[in-house]
């Protein structure tokens, strides 16, 4: 964060460190005019795993045969470096450029982008569009952008019965058939038939636990957990309400108490086709010769928070080695991504402000007097 603050200050940005509960965040902006095009990223990384299994030290950023090795090379310090390099080469834009960089994306994501977005919205900061530098490319640079994500809901189910001897079932209440019936009904229910740009929503039972070692004992309780990946047909709250109704019915039928706990880690969202998405696709195609597929696949990202602020999409490096041992990226690919980002910025301002970016002389790194 200190390095970013120094470089961005040199490039004429006004930097604000925004720490929340010990999480480092940075919002930087150059210019006051609209439109404001934002780049979002994160500096935190997932753990290295066994450091001995790496062929390079995970935090030395070793370049070997033109390939940069290190945790975060792909996800996503490479992306941050590429956007900064693009900004440094492009000079002034007819509007504003900003950075939203967080230190808590791979972790609980409570005090990172979410808090910065809340704060900026409360202050009335206007952001018109945002590119998240996640490694969105699948096989080749620029072959895919992410324009939305499915939502994710986890639910823990506990059915409370009464323990007893299997030979005297009238003195016990078995929770096993109750949870089995409930789970069968939940999985048989068709949530939807899909949504434009999204596959059908999907409910998966992820575990069923009774853990009864005895052959002659009716268990006291039965537990299960499920995960729903859902498209914008649903909200997390609506799915929670449906699950509660289904459990309530099973409870009324069986007379056994059923407890549910839910955790929704993000609602589904989609940045619909429009000038922003099309402009980015055109720019990527112009820079790489490849028109990126607009996809909604994959896990969640901080885009789920930024969408409250403005249209958002993800565009970045090829994600093949992210989160792996020997995470790495060819230096040439970071350079190519810089060219892609530069084109994205130029196209955005050409089409929204009516004037191309970068007509003034390029910013000189470290120059004073801005
Ligand atoms: Zn990431």
């Amino acid at each position: 964060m200190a390095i970013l603050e120094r470089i961005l200050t040199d490039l004429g940005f006004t930097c604000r460190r925004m720490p929340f509960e010990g999480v480092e965040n940075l919002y930087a902006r150059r210019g006051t005019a609209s439109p404001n095009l934002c780049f979002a990223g994160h500096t935190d990384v997932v753990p290295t795993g066994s450091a001995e299994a790496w062929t390079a030290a995970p935090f030395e950023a070793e370049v070997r045969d033109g390939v940069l090795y290190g945790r975060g090379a792909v996800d996503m310090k490479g992306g941050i470096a590429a956007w900064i390099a693009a900004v440094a080469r492009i000079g002034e834009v007819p509007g504003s450029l900003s950075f939203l960089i967080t230190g808590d994306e791979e972790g609980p994501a409570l005090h990172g982008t979410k808090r910065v977005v809340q704060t900026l919205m409360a202050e009335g900061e206007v952001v018109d569009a945002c590119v998240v530098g996640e490694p969105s490319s699948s096989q080749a640079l620029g072959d895919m952008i992410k324009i939305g994500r499915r939502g994710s809901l986890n639910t823990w189910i506990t059915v409370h019965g009464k323990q007893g001897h299997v030979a005297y079932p009238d003195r016990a209440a078995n929770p096993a058939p109750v949870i089995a019936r409930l789970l069968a009904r939940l999985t048989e229910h068709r949530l939807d038939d899909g949504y434009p740009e999204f596959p059908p929503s999907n409910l998966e039972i992820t575990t069923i636990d009774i853990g009864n070692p005895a052959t002659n004992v009716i268990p006291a309780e039965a537990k299960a957990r499920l995960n729903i990946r859902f498209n914008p047909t649903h909200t997390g709250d609506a799915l929670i309400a449906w699950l509660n109704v289904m459990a309530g019915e099973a409870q009324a039928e069986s007379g056994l108490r059923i407890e549910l706990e839910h955790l929704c880690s993000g609602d589904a969202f989609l940045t619909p086709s429009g000038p922003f998405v099309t402009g980015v696709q055109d720019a990527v195609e112009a820079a790489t010769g490849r028109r990126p597929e607009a996809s909604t696949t994959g896990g969640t990202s901080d885009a789920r928070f930024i969408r409250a602020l403005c249209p958002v999409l993800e565009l970045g490096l090829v994600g093949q080695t992210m989160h792996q041992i020997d995470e790495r990226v060819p230096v040439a690919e970071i350079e190519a991504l810089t060219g892609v980002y530069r084109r994205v910025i130029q196209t955005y301002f050409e089409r929204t402000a009516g004037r191309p970016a970068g007509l003034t002389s390029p910013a000189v790194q470290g120059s004073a007097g801005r």
Side-chain angles (χ1 to χ4, degrees):
M1 286 295 181
I3 293 169
L4 290 178
E5 183 177 17
R6 197 182 69 231
I7 293 172
L8 291 174
T9 301
D10 283 349
L11 286 171
F13 284 78
T14 304
C15 295
R16 263 175 83 187
R17 297 284 279 269
M18 298 171 76
F20 295 108
E21 315 293 332
V23 172
E24 287 281 354
N25 303 289
L26 173 75
Y27 181 70
R29 178 168 175 164
R30 189 173 78 190
T32 52
S34 69
N36 177 12
L37 175 62
C38 182
F39 174 84
H42 62 87
T43 55
D44 60 321
V45 295
V46 295
T48 58
S50 163
E52 297 83 59
W54 286 65
T55 64
F59 294 108
E60 294 295 323
E62 182 187 329
V63 177
R64 202 189 319 145
D65 300 326
V67 177
L68 172 70
Y69 288 76
R71 174 58 82 229
V74 174
D75 184 9
M76 58 163 280
K77 295 176 184 180
I80 297 174
W83 190 278
I84 291 176
V87 167
R89 292 173 196 178
I90 212 164
E92 294 297 336
V93 298
S96 302
L97 290 169
S98 55
F99 284 82
L100 194 175
I101 307 292
T102 180
D104 178 26
E105 198 268 350
E106 305 285 10
L110 293 173
H111 306 298
T113 302
K114 190 179 180 178
R115 293 284 296 272
V116 176
V117 166
Q118 283 169 352
T119 306
L120 293 178
M121 286 177 77
E123 292 173 356
E125 175 79 3
V126 176
V127 179
D128 295 280
C130 181
V131 173
V132 182
E134 285 290 333
S136 67
S137 298
S138 171
Q139 305 293 327
L141 182 66
D143 64 358
M144 189 178 280
I145 59 173
K146 302 283 172 88
I147 56 165
R149 294 281 188 170
R150 288 177 293 175
S152 176
L153 171 69
N154 283 304
T155 296
W156 288 258
I157 303 172
T158 306
V159 179
H160 298 276
K162 186 175 178 229
Q163 196 180 51
H165 196 301
V166 289
Y168 302 90
D170 49 312
R171 296 178 196 166
N174 194 340
V178 176
I179 205 163
R181 262 197 302 274
L182 174 60
L183 292 175
R185 283 179 196 169
L186 295 177
T187 49
E188 279 157 14
H189 178 81
R190 196 184 184 88
L191 287 164
D192 56 68
D193 295 316
Y195 187 92
E197 318 288 346
F198 284 88
S201 302
N202 180 49
L203 182 156
E204 288 298 330
I205 296 167
T206 48
T207 184
I208 302 175
D209 305 296
I210 294 178
N212 180 7
T215 55
N216 57 354
V217 173
I218 290 171
E221 60 178 33
K223 294 175 183 249
R225 189 182 65 225
L226 58 87
N227 177 265
I228 303 178
R229 291 294 160 115
F230 56 97
N231 63 44
T233 307
H234 309 274
T235 62
D237 286 346
L239 287 170
I240 288 170
W242 169 67
L243 289 166
N244 287 342
V245 166
M246 296 295 284
E249 285 175 13
Q251 176 168 292
E253 283 168 18
S254 66
L256 301 192
R257 190 162 63 85
I258 302 180
E259 243 179 322
L260 298 191
E261 266 179 69
H262 310 279
L263 183 66
C264 180
S265 55
D267 273 323
F269 75 93
L270 176 69
T271 297
S273 302
F276 177 49
V277 174
T278 309
V280 169
Q281 285 177 308
D282 290 349
V284 173
E285 190 174 2
T288 66
R290 227 170 264 123
R291 187 158 191 87
E293 177 193 343
S295 164
T296 59
T297 57
T300 61
S301 85
D302 271 359
R304 69 187 192 270
F305 303 124
I306 298 167
R307 74 186 183 115
L309 204 56
C310 64
V312 57
L313 56 77
E314 296 170 25
L315 166 62
L317 295 165
V318 177
Q320 297 278 350
T321 61
M322 62 179 172
H323 296 206
Q324 293 181 9
I325 299 283
D326 270 354
E327 180 175 344
R328 63 194 176 276
V329 58
V331 175
E333 192 181 313
I334 300 178
E335 185 61 45
L337 182 64
T338 301
V340 170
Y341 281 164
R342 183 176 179 167
R343 202 71 182 237
V344 166
I345 296 169
Q346 279 170 325
T347 306
Y348 177 79
F349 285 103
E350 258 166 41
R351 296 192 184 177
T352 54
R355 276 184 298 140
L359 287 182
T360 56
S361 57
V364 178
Q365 201 173 317
S367 70
R370 273 190 181 276

